[in-house]
Amino acid sequence: MKRIAVFGGSFNPVHYGHIGVARRVMEENLADEVWLMVSPRNPLKEQSGLLDEGIRLDLVRLAVADVPGVVACDFEFALPRPSYSWQTLAALTRTYPEASFSLVIGSDNWLLFPKWAHYEEILDRYSLIVYPRPGFPVRTSSLPDNVRLLDAPLFPWSSTDVRNRLRQGGDVSDMVPPSVAERLRNLPFFQE
């Protein structure tokens, strides 16, 4: 079976931290592919300031164009909104029965995981890969057998930081790939 790690998010916009996590999943041989699943509407996040889903998907495609095994994915675009991970994983399993799926989440989300819809169902059916986020430590001794803490550095970038710097007219070339930086500079959204 092909092992696919689903790394969902708003990617508003995608940055080097997202790409770094996906690469680490591949380097640790935790998946054959990592799908950066662009969520059209996350039920746990504020929607104001959200770039159009098509633009976010295009930015992810640009960001991973040369990253082996990492794929931009729009699967959730055809699902009911808001997007719930348990529904997405169930739909993926039905659509791709020849694949096995795991879920990639940040340690901030792992600490909130009991608040997720159908979180017990996700834990029963799928493995999770938790990546470290600054300020959200996870004790590996407390993790269930099917939850693994990714051996990855704490990446200093966030989508909020990228947006804020763009709004201030700053350069984001240290935060995002060159093709993404170029596209972001040309978006009227950030030329307020």
Side-chain angles (χ1 to χ4, degrees), residues 162-191:
V162 175
R163 291 192 308 273
N164 288 342
R165 193 179 292 177
L166 286 166
R167 284 191 184 105
Q168 295 165 2
D171 178 28
V172 295
S173 60
D174 60 328
M175 305 167 99
V176 301
S179 57
V180 173
E182 182 63 31
R183 178 87 157 90
L184 287 170
R185 271 193 294 274
N186 294 317
L187 288 176
F189 187 88
F190 297 112
Q191 298 171 359

Side-chain angles (χ1 to χ4, degrees), residues 20-189:
V21 167
R23 281 189 163 140
R24 286 299 300 151
V25 169
M26 296 297 293
E27 289 166 4
E28 288 193 27
N29 194 29
L30 299 176
D32 300 312
E33 288 183 354
V34 177
W35 289 3
L36 295 186
M37 179 85 59
V38 178
S39 176
R41 182 164 174 250
N42 182 326
L44 299 176
K45 287 198 175 177
E46 173 63 40
Q47 299 305 300
S48 67
L50 193 64
L51 289 167
D52 175 79
E53 63 197 42
I55 292 172
R56 290 182 285 125
L57 178 64
D58 287 344
L59 292 169
V60 172
R61 284 183 176 138
L62 288 170
V64 301
D66 298 322
V67 183
V70 181
V71 178
C73 183
D74 65 356
F75 187 84
E76 282 190 346
F77 288 18
L79 297 179
R81 297 175 191 200
S83 307
Y84 291 96
S85 294
W86 69 275
Q87 291 173 320
T88 299
L89 289 165
L92 285 166
T93 301
R94 284 191 305 273
T95 306
Y96 302 100
E98 72 289 353
S100 67
F101 292 93
S102 59
L103 182 64
V104 179
I105 63 171
S107 59
D108 54 336
N109 277 311
W110 172 248
L111 296 177
L112 295 173
F113 201 65
K115 294 184 177 186
W116 284 33
H118 298 260
Y119 78 96
E120 291 166 323
E121 182 179 327
I122 296 171
L123 278 175
D124 284 344
R125 296 183 180 180
Y126 304 95
S127 62
L128 273 72
I129 302 165
V130 178
Y131 63 91
R133 294 282 313 265
F136 300 95
V138 173
R139 287 191 344 238
T140 54
S141 60
S142 68
L143 296 176
D145 290 341
N146 63 330
V147 179
R148 176 175 176 154
L149 185 63
L150 186 67
D151 181 19
L154 292 174
F155 294 106
W157 308 281
S158 76
S159 294
T160 301
D161 294 338
V162 175
R163 291 192 308 273
N164 288 342
R165 193 179 292 177
L166 286 166
R167 284 191 184 105
Q168 295 165 2
D171 178 28
V172 295
S173 60
D174 60 328
M175 305 167 99
V176 301
S179 57
V180 173
E182 182 63 31
R183 178 87 157 90
L184 287 170
R185 271 193 294 274
N186 294 317
L187 288 176
F189 187 88

